[in-house]
Amino acid sequence: MNSSETQIKAVIIPEFGEAEVLRVATVAVPEPGPGQVAIDVAYAGANFAEVLYRRGVVDVPLPFVPGIEVAGRIRAVGQGVENLVVGQPVAALTIVDSGGYAEVVVTSADLVAPLDGQGIGMDVAAALPSNGTTAFLVLDRVARIEPGESVLVHAAAGGVGSQLGQAARLLGAGRVVGTVGSAAKIKTARSFGYDEVILRDQIDDAGDFDIVVDMVGGPVRHTSLDRLAPMGRLVVMGNASGAVDVGIPANELWFTNRTVSGFNLAAFAAAFPEETGRALRRAVAAAAAGDLRVQVEALPLEQAAQAHQRIESGATTGKLVLDVTAP
């Protein structure tokens, strides 16, 4: 893209609603401020978080350009940015201010991982920042996993679920079990490092776990709490079911020596950008070493609505990314 251009292509949310509200439009080229970089985007990850923006669950100003993660090349660097140069291939989290569904995006230099010599394709790199970073932060920083501990992960065939099983193994977990919503997803989930994969309605017979990660919500949340061993930790990081919030009595935690924690990557990245960046670079290094496998399917940027529909249907496995450079 010519650096003198003042307008770029982007997918915007002009109004809240179903996937069909997404529109391709032209917007002004964003410029990096101090401590920021601008990135010419090659691929942008498609995530449930962007579905929430589109539905109006997250209060954002309209029109709004969604997109919480990208891969591409550094276009420009802001004042005070070191160790990143124009033309450098990178993966980046754009989750704090969003904007990844566009030809150019701006983000904090702290939330960027260089790809030089890593041998990772741009499509795979775009699928790492949100899910890979989340997996390491949830297990290491929030759940404080110890070697040999058992882990249960819901939605094990999805984008973040596919990374959590592998990250748990890398962090020394013992038994790692995933749940899925349909039998058709069991084989795919097993390929992501899980010892066992079961249907979500079978977890009553799965035994107890030191750590349970729940991004599904609804009745699964109570069942997950029941599956915690003494001193077990439940990490709540989503509500993909769209169910009404589930209350957890504090006295129940007191009597059973259990803990419930929450994790939201956007809030964490805004509060702790340097730590988030370290986790991102850890995920990139693991993928480059072949220790973190990512299953990716690319769609043109113009098919962002289709990507959202597939995510909402619950039928996806692995990760969808949007090809921003496709004709």
Side-chain angles (χ1 to χ4, degrees):
M1 182 181 301
N2 191 316
S3 61
S4 65
E5 293 179 13
T6 59
Q7 296 286 310
I8 57 169
K9 178 176 66 176
V11 168
I12 65 170
I13 303 172
E15 59 183 304
F16 299 126
E18 299 301 315
E20 292 78 12
V21 303
L22 294 175
R23 293 285 182 271
V24 177
T26 55
V27 299
V29 176
E31 299 292 339
Q36 295 182 321
V37 297
I39 299 169
D40 283 321
V41 179
Y43 289 88
N47 299 275
F48 191 73
E50 291 124 15
V51 172
L52 297 180
Y53 293 145
R54 195 205 71 229
R55 291 176 179 172
V57 174
V58 181
D59 186 19
V60 296
L62 299 179
F64 184 75
V65 180
I68 67 172
E69 59 182 344
V70 301
R73 292 184 178 273
I74 298 291
R75 175 187 177 90
V77 298
Q79 182 181 354
V81 174
E82 300 177 354
N83 303 319
L84 293 170
V85 297
V86 172
Q88 187 174 19
V90 295
L93 272 169
T94 54
I95 194 167
V96 176
D97 296 313
S98 207
Y101 286 16
E103 291 178 303
V104 180
V105 68
V106 165
T107 192
S108 167
D110 289 331
L111 300 178
V112 172
L115 297 176
D116 312 65
Q118 298 283 16
I120 302 174
M122 286 288 186
D123 54 345
V124 172
L128 281 169
S130 174
N131 295 335
T133 303
T134 293
F136 281 109
L137 287 173
V138 161
L139 292 168
D140 202 11
R141 178 70 152 84
V142 182
R144 301 187 183 278
I145 189 171
E146 296 287 343
E149 288 193 315
S150 56
V151 179
L152 175 69
V153 176
H154 293 299
V160 68
S162 69
Q163 303 297 285
L164 279 160
Q166 298 177 83
R169 188 69 67 212
L170 291 172
L171 293 169
R175 182 183 180 219
V176 183
V177 177
T179 78
V180 292
S182 69
K185 295 184 177 183
I186 290 178
K187 183 178 179 180
T188 298
R190 279 180 177 158
S191 70
F192 292 122
Y194 290 97
D195 296 310
E196 307 164 52
V197 178
I198 60 177
L199 293 176
R200 202 164 296 133
D201 58 9
Q202 296 175 340
I203 62 174
D204 285 338
D205 302 319
D208 292 339
F209 296 86
D210 299 299
I211 298 168
V212 178
V213 184
D214 174 27
M215 65 287 282
V216 175
V220 170
R221 195 144 293 164
H222 272 308
T223 311
S224 299
L225 190 63
D226 292 338
R227 292 276 60 78
L228 289 181
M231 299 306 295
R233 290 89 74 198
L234 168 62
V235 183
V236 174
M237 50 164 290
N239 188 39
S241 67
V244 175
D245 194 17
V246 174
I248 298 176
N251 280 353
E252 184 176 347
L253 304 178
W254 165 35
F255 286 129
T256 58
N257 290 308
R258 294 165 174 166
T259 299
V260 177
S261 300
F263 180 80
N264 179 282
L265 182 58
F268 191 93
F272 307 104
E274 292 183 2
E275 185 175 357
T276 305
R278 287 195 295 272
L280 167 58
R281 291 183 283 277
R282 186 180 190 181
V284 168
D291 294 328
L292 199 64
R293 187 176 71 85
V294 183
Q295 178 180 305
V296 176
E297 179 185 350
L299 299 173
L301 178 65
E302 286 77 6
Q303 292 183 21
Q306 179 183 331
H308 278 216
Q309 289 167 343
R310 289 176 59 182
I311 291 169
E312 289 177 283
S313 75
T316 57
T317 57
K319 186 64 175 280
L320 295 176
V321 297
L322 301 173
D323 186 347
V324 179
T325 63

